[in-house]
Amino acid sequence: MKTFSGRSIVMSFAVLVALLSGAVSHGKVSPGKTAPSFVLTDLAGRSHDLSKVSGRPMTILYFFDGESRPSQEGLVSLNELAKRHKGSDLAVWAITRTTKEKVAGFGTSAGITFPILLDGGAVGDLYGARVVLPTVCILGPSLKVLDYFQGGGKTTETMLVRVAERTLQRRQTKLARAISEEVIRKNPRNVKARTVSGYAALKEDDLKGAEKAFTDLSRDGTDGEVLGKEGLAAVYVKMKQPAKALQVASEVEKKAPGRAYVHVIKGDVLYAQNRKKEAEAEYRIATRKDEVEPYQSAVRYNQLGRFYGNDGQSGKARELYEQALTIDPFYIEGTTNKGLAYEKEGRWDKALESYRQGMALDGKDTFAAVLARKAQEMLDLQKDSERSKRVDQLVKDLAARYKSRKESGVKPADEWTSAPMVLTFIDFQEKGGLAERDGLSAVLAAQLAQQLNASGRVRVVERAILDRLLAELNLGSSELADPETALRLGKILAARLIGTGSLLHMPGGSLLSLRLVDTETSAIPQVTTRQIDMQASLEKELFLLNREILKTVVDKYPLQGFLVKVDGDKAIVNLGSKQGVVGGTKFEILEEQEPITYKGKVLRSAPKQVALVEVTKVEPDLCQVKVIRQDRPVKADDKVREKLEEVASK
Amino acid sequence: MSRSVVKGLPIVAMFCVLAAFPLSADFREPPRSFPLPLAEAETVVCRWLTGAGLDVSRTDAGDGKVLFKAGKKGESWEIELAPNSPLAFIMVAGCFRNGEPCPEGTAGLWTYLEGYERGVSVENPGRGQKAPPAVAERDGAVACIRGEGGGGTIQFSGFFVSREGLVLATAHDLDGVPEVTVILRDGEQRAGRIVKLDRARDLSLIDTGSGVDASVSLSSGRGGLREGETVYSIGCPGNRPGTVHMGVVDGPQRLVNKLPLWQVDMETFPGGSGSPVFDRRGNLVGVVKGRYRGTDSRGFLIPVGTVLEFLGEDRRGSP
C-alpha cells in the first residue's frame, strides 16, 4: 500500500489552498463586474492607481510570470503592437509578482514600454491571477470587466483577437485591422481574426478589401463559410446590392440557424424596401439568437430600438439602447440614440448624461458634442425661469397667431431698408433605410444654425422656440412635410427663409437634399444635394453648406439701406449688426436712373453703381464705412446695397 | 474681452487647450485675406496650430474678432482673425521661434490655408489636385520634417519606408543637423535621428524611434518611367501636409553630376523635397529632389534605383 509522506501531504494541501483561493478570487473578477481598484508601483518606483484611470476607454491588465516564456510572449506581442501604433490608446499595465531584479532584465531586453507593476501578491490574488499565468483582464470605461481569461500559448492569440474585437468596437478600425492581421500572420486559419479584419475593412469603406477577405474566409471550412458569408451579406448591402445580400443571408441562415447578425442585415434591407413589418420581425429574431460576434451583439438591440423609435415608441426604444450599452459599453451610437429617446420623453437631464457618456468614449464625436450642447441649452432655459416664462409667452403668442392665420406684424421702417435675415430650419424628412444612428437631421440643423449665427449675417430661430411651438401646435413630421404648413410656420416666426428638405439614408451614408424656401414669395432660391457620411465628411459638408447658404443670402437678399451722414471719404449707413452687417462688408452706392418713355411705355433701367464703400466699424444700429472707389462724391440719403465680392486669397 | 472656448466656436475648435502665452513683442506680419467664413477659419487655424503640437488659447477680441495665442517650448504665436464680409476673413499672424521672428512659420500657415481653401472650395470644387485612390492611400506614410540648420529653420518632406519608423528624405540642408522633428499625418510629432546621410545621392534616413501604421513599399518600386507618363507627388511643401501635385515625365532619365534624375513637368515648391512620387497605381517611382532654379513647374526626381542603392548600403551595415 502506498503511503504519503508528511511533506507531500503538506504540499498537496498548499496546492489545494492555492487553487481554491484562485477560484474564489476568479469569482470576484468576471465580465460585467467592476474591477477591484489597487495601487502598485512600477520598476522606476512610480505609483499607479487603477481608480485614477477609470475614465480611460480600455485598459488591459496583464498578470504575468517574469520568468515564464508563455507569459513573456503575450506581453511582447502587445508591446510590439503598442510600439507600432504609438498614440493609439492601447493602454496596458503588466503586473507581476516576480522580483524586481528578475523582471527588470526582461523588461529592458524586450524594450517593454508599458509600466511593469510589482505586486507583492495581493493584487494577483484579488484578480485570481496566482496559479495560472498569464491572466488577462480587459477593462472598459468605469473599470467594467469586459474579458477575463487565463493561460499561456494559445491564450496570447485569443487575447489578441479579443483586443482586436474590442478595438473594432471602439471604431479604431486601423488598429483592429493591424492586430487581427498580426494574428493571421501567425495563424492564417484563425477565422475570428479574419472576420475582424473583414469588418474593419468594411467600416473603413474598403469594400473591395472586405469582399476579398470574406470571400476567402467563406471558402475555409464550416465556421469560415458561415462567418465569411455573413460578412459578404453585409458587404453587398453597402455595395447597394440588396438582392444579393438577401440571397447570401438566407444561405447563412440555412447553414447556421443560430446566427444573429444575419437577421440584422436582412432587417436593414427590408426596412429600406419599406417592408417594415418584415424588418421588425427580423430585428426581433436577431435579439433572440445567441451566435453573434461581440462587436455586433449590441447592434441587434440598437436596430430594434431604432425601429421602435421611428415608430414613436421612444420608451421601448430607450430600453433597447440600454440593453445595447450593457452588452457593449463602447457603443457610442447607443449613447446618443439613448439620449435622443430621453429627449423625446422630455428628460433633458438624462439626455445630457447619455451624450456626455458618448463624449467620454470619443471626445471628437460631432454627434455627441452637438446634442450635448443642445441639451445643455434646454436645461439652462428650464433653470432660467424668467427666460423660460418669456419663451412660453412668445410660443403662446406665436401659436395663437398661427391658429388665427395672422402673420408677424413687424413691418420695415421703409421699403428699401433691409430687415435682418431670419432663417428657420424645419426638420428634414428622413427616408430610406434605418441609419444605425438617430438624430442626423437634428445635428445638421443645430450645427448649421451655429455656423450661420456665428457669421453675424443670418439669424437662425432658436431651436427651443421652434420645438416648443411645434409641441404647442401638435405638429409632427408628417404635418411638416406639407409645404403649406412649413411656409405658414416660417411666416409666423418672422423668418424670411425656411431651410427644409429630406435625408435619404442609404448604406454607407445619407443623401441630404436641402431647400431654402422664401416665405414671402414661395420661391426656392437654393437647392443643394449632398452625400453625407456620418463620420468622415460630416464637418466638411457642413462647412460647405454653410458657405452655400451664406452666398445665397448675400447674393439673393443683399442688405439695402441709406447713407445717413457723409464726412469726406467716411460715411455712416443705417444698417448695423442687428441687420447682419459684419466688418469688411462692401456696399455699392446706387443712383436711380431716370425712366425712359418710349412710344408711351415707361422703361426703367437698373440703378447705376456710383461708388463702393467698405465697412470699417459696426455698431448695433449703424455702421461706419470708408469710400474705396467713387464716380461722384457720395452724399447723405444715397441708397446702398451689399455687394457679393469674389474674394481670392491675398 | 472674454475668453471662451465653448459657445460660438465650432466643435473641433473646442478641443483647443486653454492656455495663455505672453506676447513678447509685436512681431505680426501684414494682414492677409482668405475667402472662408470666420467660423470655419477658426476651426482650420486651430487645427493647424494643435497639429503642430502647440497649446492654443482663444479669446473674443471684440468687433467680431477672435484672437488665438499658441505656444510650445521655444515657439510662440499670436493670430487675430477678423471678418471681412460674411464669407471671408482677414488674418494677422506672427510667430516667434527661439526669440526671433519666424516668417517661414507664418508662410507655412498661409500655404496651408490656401491649400485648404482650394481643396474644399465651393466655387471651384475641381481646382485642387486629386490623386487616384491607389496613390491617395499612400498619404498616411508621408511626413513633414522640420529642423534647425545653420541658416535657420529648415522644412522638407519625407516618407516612412518601414513600419519600424524609418523615414527616407532628401539630404540637402541637413549638414550639421543632428536631429529633426518628424510630423506624421495624424499630427503626432516625433524626434528624428539622422542615421544615414548621402550628400551625393541627396538622400537621408531618419529613425523616429517607434513603429507606424503606414509605410511605402520599396519592393513594388518601379525603375523605368515612360516619357509622358503621369506621376503624383505627396508631400508638405510650405509645411502643408498631404499636398498632391500631378506631373508628367518630360524626358528620358538624365545624368546630373553623374547621378541619374528624372525630369518632370510638375509643380515643385520649397518644402516639397523628399516627397515620394508614385505612378497611377501607387507604386513608388521616385523622390522629389528639387526644382529647376527659377521655376516652380520643372522638378527633378531621384529614381527608385538610387533609393535602393542607398538603402542597400544601409542594409550592409553602413553607417
Side-chain angles (χ1 to χ4, degrees), chain A residues 83-87 174 363-364 366 369-370 373 377 380 447 450-451 454-455 457 539-540 543-544 546-548 550-551 554 582-586 614 617-618 642 644 646-650, chain B residues 6-12 14-15 31-37 39-40 43-44 47 63 83-88 114 116-117 119-123 163-164 186 188 190 210-213:
Chain A
K83 274 206 286 191
R84 215 170 298 150
H85 301 280
K86 202 179 162 193
K174 271 189 183 168
K364 290 179 181 169
T366 307
V370 171
R373 194 181 64 222
E377 281 168 8
D380 290 347
Q447 270 299 81
Q450 195 198 16
Q451 288 180 17
S455 77
R457 180 64 176 81
E539 183 194 67
K540 182 181 149 195
F543 280 146
L544 289 175
N546 177 51
R547 286 197 230 167
E548 285 183 8
L550 285 173
K551 192 168 176 294
V554 176
V582 298
T585 298
K586 310 277 189 308
E614 182 181 319
K617 187 169 173 56
V618 187
E642 186 182 17
L644 175 68
E646 300 298 333
V647 187
S649 307
K650 59 186 178 186
Chain B
V6 179
K7 287 200 170 178
L9 191 62
I11 292 299
V12 174
M14 279 190 209
F15 304 116
R32 298 264 315 243
S33 68
F34 291 90
L36 292 176
E40 186 175 352
T43 305
V44 178
R47 182 176 295 152
D63 287 340
N84 189 31
S85 89
L87 282 152
E114 282 164 3
Y116 173 85
E117 187 266 321
V120 293
S121 169
V122 177
E123 301 297 322
R163 297 272 173 125
E164 282 72 41
D186 61 3
E188 185 193 338
R190 295 182 182 180
S210 51
V212 285
D213 285 349

Side-chain angles (χ1 to χ4, degrees), chain A residues 16-29 125 128-131 148 150:
Chain A
L16 186 66
V17 167
L19 285 170
L20 278 176
S21 65
V24 171
S25 298
H26 178 270
K28 283 182 194 167
V29 180
D125 288 346
R130 172 188 277 269
V131 180
Y148 181 96
Q150 297 185 299

Side-chain angles (χ1 to χ4, degrees), chain B residues 129-153:
Chain B
Q129 291 188 350
K130 280 184 107 179
V135 176
E137 278 175 14
R138 306 278 180 258
D139 178 45
V142 181
C144 293
I145 303 170
R146 276 200 230 139
E148 297 300 324
T153 303

Side-chain angles (χ1 to χ4, degrees), chain A residues 156-213:
Chain A
T156 298
E157 190 175 317
T158 311
M159 172 187 72
L160 290 177
V161 171
R162 211 63 71 82
V163 172
E165 288 170 344
R166 294 299 183 189
T167 310
L168 183 61
Q169 276 175 301
R170 293 174 56 207
R171 299 194 297 187
Q172 293 195 349
T173 49
K174 271 189 183 168
L175 183 60
R177 216 168 165 178
I179 299 172
S180 54
E181 275 160 17
E182 176 79 15
V183 175
I184 297 165
R185 199 169 53 80
K186 287 182 183 155
N187 178 11
R189 303 292 306 271
N190 190 315
V191 291
K192 293 284 180 189
R194 290 166 70 184
T195 310
V196 170
S197 173
Y199 281 110
L202 187 61
K203 285 213 168 189
E204 285 179 348
D205 280 331
D206 175 10
L207 301 188
K208 285 281 163 210
E211 187 182 22
K212 187 179 179 318

Side-chain angles (χ1 to χ4, degrees), chain A residues 611-630:
Chain A
L612 191 68
V613 298
E614 182 181 319
V615 174
T616 54
K617 187 169 173 56
V618 187
E619 294 179 39
D621 293 323
L622 53 87
C623 64
Q624 294 175 21
V625 296
K626 70 172 180 200
V627 178
I628 51 177
R629 183 160 49 78
Q630 59 184 6

Side-chain angles (χ1 to χ4, degrees), chain A residues 382-414:
Chain A
Q382 281 174 358
K383 279 182 203 151
D384 186 343
S385 59
E386 280 302 309
R387 194 170 151 239
S388 194
K389 266 187 212 163
R390 280 201 307 274
V391 169
D392 286 346
Q393 190 54 49
L394 176 64
V395 168
K396 268 186 192 155
D397 292 347
L398 291 170
R401 242 186 268 157
Y402 181 89
K403 285 170 188 160
S404 65
R405 295 184 172 267
K406 270 191 199 163
E407 291 166 19
S408 165
V410 184
K411 291 279 174 203
D414 60 70

